[in-house]
């Protein structure tokens, strides 16, 4: 019995080691903290703070795979719906202002399951 437990533990450890590099899925917490400096611009417009563009670039670099982009899409929709003051035309222009090309458009009606 103890032998069996050791085997299971060994297997779990092996899987953790294999899964660790590069497989870190993005979380909504990361998306929110990367974009937190953007909230002023998103709601009121004006100049885009450099910290915000760093966040946008960081997000773009972090969300390279389809599942990560779908997660990011869902998180952005959450951010939009929980911050009623967000101006969507500002949100749409943000990537361009930061010189980032985001290959999909995110609005509150985007179907995140279609994001590639
Ligand atoms: C959103 O921002 C644009 C330009 O920044 C502005 O023209 C428009 O009136 C704003 N819309 C709302 C609903 O505040």
């Amino acid at each position: 019995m103890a032998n069996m437990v050791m085997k299971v533990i060994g297997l779990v450890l092996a899987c953790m080691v294999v899964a660790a590099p590069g497989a870190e899925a993005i979380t909504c917490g990361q998306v929110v903290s990367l974009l937190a400096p953007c909230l002023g611009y998103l709601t009121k417009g004006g100049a885009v703070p450099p910290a915000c563009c760093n966040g946008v670039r960081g997000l773009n670099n972090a969300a390279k795979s389809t599942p990560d982009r779908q997660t990011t899409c869902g998180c952005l929709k959450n951010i939009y719906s929980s911050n009623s003051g967000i101006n969507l035309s500002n949100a749409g222009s943000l990537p361009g202002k930061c010189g980032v090309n985001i290959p999909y458009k995110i609005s509150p009606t985007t179907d995140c399951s279609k994001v590639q």
Side-chain angles (χ1 to χ4, degrees), residues 28-88:
C28 275
Q30 285 173 284
V31 175
V32 169
S33 62
L34 283 169
L35 295 184
C38 302
L39 278 179
Y41 171 76
L42 291 176
T43 52
K44 295 190 216 68
V48 181
C52 166
C53 281
N54 286 339
V56 171
R57 278 192 286 267
L59 186 59
N60 196 36
N61 289 336
K64 289 269 188 241
S65 67
T66 296
D68 280 348
R69 286 182 174 157
Q70 290 177 342
T71 303
T72 305
C73 172
C75 299
L76 289 172
K77 284 171 71 171
N78 282 345
I79 295 173
Y80 291 165
S81 60
S82 58
N83 293 274
S84 57
I86 287 183
N87 178 326
L88 290 173

